[in-house]
Amino acid sequence: MPPFFKKKKPIKIKSKKQNEKPDEGANVARPIGDSLSDNLELIKQKTGKSTDVIISEFILQTLPGHKAAVIFVEGIADSKNINDFLLESMLNNQAVLEKATQSDTIEFLSEKVLAIAGVKKITDWNDLFLALMAGDTIILVDGSSTGLVASTRGGGEQRSVEEPGSQVTVRGPRDGFTESIRTNTALVRRRIQNPDLWVETMKIGTVTKTDVSIMYIKGIAKEEIVGEVRKRLKSIKIDSILESGYIEQLIEDQALTTFPTLYHTERPDIVAGNVLEGRIAIFVNGTPFVLVAPAFFIQFFQSVEDYYGRADIGTALRFLRILIFFISIIAPATYIAGTTFHQEMIPTQLLIAIAAQRETVPFPAYFEALIMEIAFEILREAGVRMPRAVGSAISIVGALVIGQAAVQAGIVSPAMVIVVAITAIANFATPSFPIAISARLIRFIFMIAAATFGFYGIILGILILVVHLCSLRSFGIPYLTPLAPVIPANLGDTVVRLPLWAQKKRPELTTQGHDLRVGEKQKPEPPKNRDMVNKKAKKGD
C-alpha cells in the first residue's frame, strides 16, 4: 500500500502542473546545478532524448576524475568548428589546464583554451536551452554551476544567394535574400557600410523562439517610429512565428482592408534604399521576405529599376503602372455599365458589333463577366499550385481551348473575353503582388456597383476607395503620404520621379530631416567654353 501511493503522488502532481501551465517552465530562470551527470540527464529529459542532440563527454586529463561535456544540435551547429576549435582545443591544451583547479576550470577554458569567438558564460537553464536550439554549443564541467556557450551556428544545408523570383529586374543587382537571417542582414550591410546601421534582435514565439531583427540607421530614422516598431514586436504573444506574414498580421495598423500597410521584398537593394529613407526593416529567420515599415500607397507602384535608369523613363513607367492598376479594377465594371445602362455613350458601330455578339448569350453582362472572372481566377490558382511542367499547359488549355469553346457555345461573347484578358494582363503587370491581390478583390465590388447603378456606381466606388485610402495609416503615418497630406518637398519621388540630383531631401515624415540627401551643384552641366574644348581636341589631333 505505501509504495503504491509513493509512486502515484509525484506523477499526479507533475501532470497537473504541466497541463495547467505548459509554457511557464521554459520562462522561469532556474540555476544550473554543479553535477554534470544530473545536468546531462535533465537535458536529455527536456529534449526527449532526441537523436539530433549530441552529447560528447570526456575527461580532462589534468584533473583526475574531472569530467566535461559538449552539447550541440546536429544540423544547425557547425560540426567542423566544434571539432577543430572546441574539442581539439580542450584536449590538446592540457599544459594550460594544469594550472587550473576544479573551481576555476571554466575561467581557463573561456579565456585561455577555447580558440573560437563568441564564448560567453551562462548560469540558468533558460539561456542554455535558447542557445542550444539556436545552434550554439554548450560546454559543461563537472563541479561547476556555470556553463559556456560557444557560437557555432551555421551548420546544415542552406540555400545559396540567388536572384529573387518575385521581383525580377532588367537592370540591377542579382542577389536576393535567403532563409538565414544573418545572411540577409549581411547582404544589406554590404551596401550600407556604416556603423550607424543598427540591428536589434529579439525572440518571438513561446514555442518556436524565432529570431526577429529590426534594422535602421541611427540618426536618419525617427526615434518615434523605431520605438513604435519595437513596442509592437515586443507585445506579440503567440506560440509560433513561421514566416514574416505572421509578424505583418500582428503589427499592422488596420486589419479590415485589402491594401497592404507593410511592404515586403526579397531584394537587398530595395531594403537598403528604404532604410536610407528612414524606414525600418524587419527580418524574420526562416523566410527570404523582409518587411519594411512604414509603407505608403505610392510605394507599391515603384520599381527598383526606376532609380537605376533615366528619370523621364521612370516617370512614364510609373504613370503606366497606375493606369494598369485602374484598368485591372474597373475594366469589367466599365463594360457592364456601358452595355447595360449607358448604351448612348458607346459609338454606334461598336454598339452594333457588341449587340450582335451578345445576341446568342443567355446571360446579362454582369453574370457573363462574373462567370469569366471566376473561371480565370480558377485557372490562375490552378496554374500557381500545379507543378511547373504542368502549370504552363493548364494556362494554355484554359485560356485558348476553354475560352474559344465558351465563345462558340454562346456562353460568353468575344468582347467579354477581350475585356477579361486585358484585365488579367493588367493585373499581372502590377509591380507589387499584394497590391495586385487587392485589385483582384476590389474588382468584384466595382462589378456589383456597375451592375446596380451603372457609371454612377463606379464613380461612387472610386470616391469610397479614395476615402478609405485616406483613412489608412502605417505606423501612424498617413497611407497616401506625400499626396495626402501634400508635402511639396517629397513630391519628386511619387508618380513623377525627378532626377537624383533634384531629390535633395529625404521623406519628412519618416526621417529626422536635418541633413540633405544630395549635395549642392550636382546637376550635370556641359563645359562652359565649348570653343576651348574644340581647340584642345584639334591640338590633340
Side-chain angles (χ1 to χ4, degrees):
M1 199 70 174
F4 175 79
F5 283 103
K6 286 182 181 178
K7 292 180 181 178
K8 280 291 184 180
K9 191 175 180 180
I11 295 175
K12 190 175 181 181
I13 293 173
K14 287 183 179 179
S15 63
K16 278 186 176 181
K17 289 183 178 179
Q18 290 175 357
N19 292 334
E20 289 175 359
K21 298 178 181 180
D23 291 330
E24 284 189 3
N27 298 326
V28 176
R30 295 179 297 165
I32 300 174
D34 56 1
S35 174
L36 180 62
S37 59
D38 293 344
N39 292 337
L40 296 181
E41 185 63 25
L42 194 149
I43 293 175
K44 292 177 182 178
Q45 291 180 1
K46 183 66 176 178
T47 59
K49 297 183 180 180
S50 301
T51 55
D52 60 341
V53 178
I54 308 301
I55 299 177
S56 178
E57 298 183 62
F58 55 93
I59 298 176
L60 297 175
Q61 298 177 3
T62 55
L63 297 173
H66 198 187
K67 294 183 180 180
V70 171
I71 307 102
F72 62 94
V73 179
E74 188 178 17
I76 61 175
D78 194 338
S79 301
K80 187 176 186 301
N81 286 340
I82 295 173
N83 293 327
D84 295 345
F85 301 107
L86 292 183
L87 292 177
E88 288 192 7
S89 297
M90 287 186 289
L91 295 177
N92 295 334
N93 286 277
Q94 299 296 333
V96 178
L97 283 171
E98 285 180 357
K99 302 177 182 179
T101 62
Q102 190 167 0
S103 59
D104 62 356
T105 305
I106 290 293
E107 296 289 341
F108 269 76
L109 285 175
S110 61
E111 296 177 4
K112 299 182 179 181
V113 176
L114 299 181
I116 192 170
V119 178
K120 61 181 181 180
K121 299 177 183 179
I122 53 171
T123 57
D124 64 82
W125 289 105
N126 247 358
D127 295 338
L128 186 147
F129 284 113
L130 284 176
L132 179 64
M133 295 305 158
D136 293 332
T137 299
I138 310 299
I139 302 171
L140 298 177
V141 178
D142 192 18
S144 175
S145 59
T146 302
L148 295 178
V149 175
S151 179
T152 55
R153 303 181 187 184
E157 295 295 331
Q158 295 182 0
R159 186 169 64 93
S160 60
V161 177
E162 301 172 350
E163 182 178 3
S166 61
Q167 294 173 313
V168 181
T169 60
V170 178
R171 181 177 180 177
R174 293 291 186 265
D175 56 343
F177 290 128
T178 67
E179 286 73 21
S180 173
I181 189 172
R182 285 297 159 250
T183 302
N184 296 342
T185 55
L187 289 173
V188 180
R189 282 198 179 275
R190 290 177 183 176
R191 290 166 168 80
I192 307 176
Q193 300 178 12
N194 194 312
D196 292 331
L197 182 65
W198 289 10
V199 177
E200 301 177 12
T201 303
M202 62 193 77
K203 290 187 180 292
I204 302 179
T206 56
V207 177
T208 58
K209 306 292 184 183
T210 306
D211 287 329
V212 178
S213 298
I214 61 174
M215 174 183 286
Y216 60 95
I217 298 180
K218 181 70 174 179
I220 294 181
K222 276 192 173 181
E223 293 296 334
E224 296 85 355
I225 301 178
V226 176
E228 182 65 22
V229 173
R230 190 186 297 115
K231 176 184 175 182
R232 294 190 187 186
L233 289 175
K234 290 184 177 180
S235 64
I236 294 177
K237 304 298 181 184
I238 193 172
D239 62 341
S240 61
I241 298 292
L242 302 180
E243 213 273 338
S244 58
Y246 283 51
I247 299 291
E248 182 178 1
Q249 297 175 61
L250 294 171
I251 66 174
E252 60 185 355
D253 290 57
Q254 179 61 264
L256 300 178
T257 180
T258 61
F259 292 95
T261 54
L262 275 84
Y263 189 84
H264 70 258
T265 179
E266 52 180 336
R267 292 188 63 92
D269 52 343
I270 292 181
V271 172
N274 281 276
V275 168
L276 288 168
E277 291 183 350
R279 296 184 178 92
I280 295 92
I282 304 173
F283 297 81
V284 180
N285 194 29
T287 175
F289 291 94
V290 176
L291 301 177
V292 176
F296 305 142
F297 178 71
I298 196 64
Q299 184 179 355
F300 294 92
F301 299 95
Q302 300 173 351
S303 175
V304 67
E305 287 182 300
D306 298 344
Y307 302 94
Y308 299 154
R310 294 179 55 86
D312 50 357
I313 298 176
T315 301
L317 291 177
R318 289 185 180 180
F319 272 105
L320 179 62
R321 294 183 195 122
I322 294 176
L323 176 62
I324 285 171
F325 175 73
F326 281 103
I327 289 175
S328 64
I329 288 179
I330 65 173
T334 304
Y335 177 83
I336 293 171
T339 56
T340 306
F341 295 99
H342 309 282
Q343 295 90 347
E344 69 278 359
M345 299 183 66
I346 303 175
T348 305
Q349 295 295 329
L350 180 59
L351 181 62
I352 293 173
I354 293 175
Q357 294 174 8
R358 299 196 71 257
E359 186 176 0
T360 58
V361 178
F363 306 109
Y366 169 70
F367 287 102
E368 184 185 1
L370 187 63
I371 291 171
M372 287 299 298
E373 286 293 338
I374 293 176
F376 187 81
E377 292 296 331
I378 293 173
L379 290 172
R380 187 207 303 261
E381 194 67 16
V384 172
R385 305 304 168 195
M386 294 296 290
R388 293 183 179 180
V390 186
S392 59
I394 291 289
S395 60
I396 293 174
V397 171
L400 298 179
V401 179
I402 297 178
Q404 184 66 26
V407 172
Q408 292 180 355
I411 299 177
V412 296
S413 62
M416 177 55 70
V417 174
I418 295 173
V419 171
V420 172
I422 292 175
T423 305
I425 294 172
N427 193 262
F428 283 130
T430 305
S432 177
F433 184 70
I435 209 74
I437 296 179
S438 300
R440 288 164 59 182
L441 298 177
I442 296 171
R443 184 188 311 149
F444 289 95
I445 300 176
F446 274 90
M447 289 167 57
I448 296 173
T452 307
F453 302 106
F455 282 129
Y456 299 104
I458 296 177
I459 295 172
L460 180 62
I462 293 175
L463 292 176
I464 295 175
L465 181 63
V466 173
V467 171
H468 175 67
L469 290 174
C470 291
S471 67
L472 294 180
R473 297 290 186 274
S474 180
F475 285 84
I477 299 179
Y479 194 52
L480 292 182
T481 302
L483 302 176
V486 178
I487 303 178
N490 300 140
L491 291 177
D493 192 17
T494 52
V495 180
V496 177
R497 188 187 85 79
L498 297 179
L500 292 179
W501 49 265
Q503 300 180 29
K504 296 184 179 298
K505 294 184 178 180
R506 296 187 176 95
E508 290 186 3
L509 295 183
T510 58
T511 60
Q512 299 183 9
H514 55 75
D515 54 348
L516 295 177
R517 184 179 182 178
V518 182
E520 298 294 336
K521 297 181 181 180
Q522 297 297 312
K523 180 181 179 180
E525 294 181 359
K528 295 181 180 179
N529 193 341
R530 295 187 177 182
D531 295 334
M532 183 64 67
V533 174
N534 293 333
K535 290 179 181 179
K536 289 183 179 180
K538 289 181 180 179
K539 290 181 179 179
D541 293 339

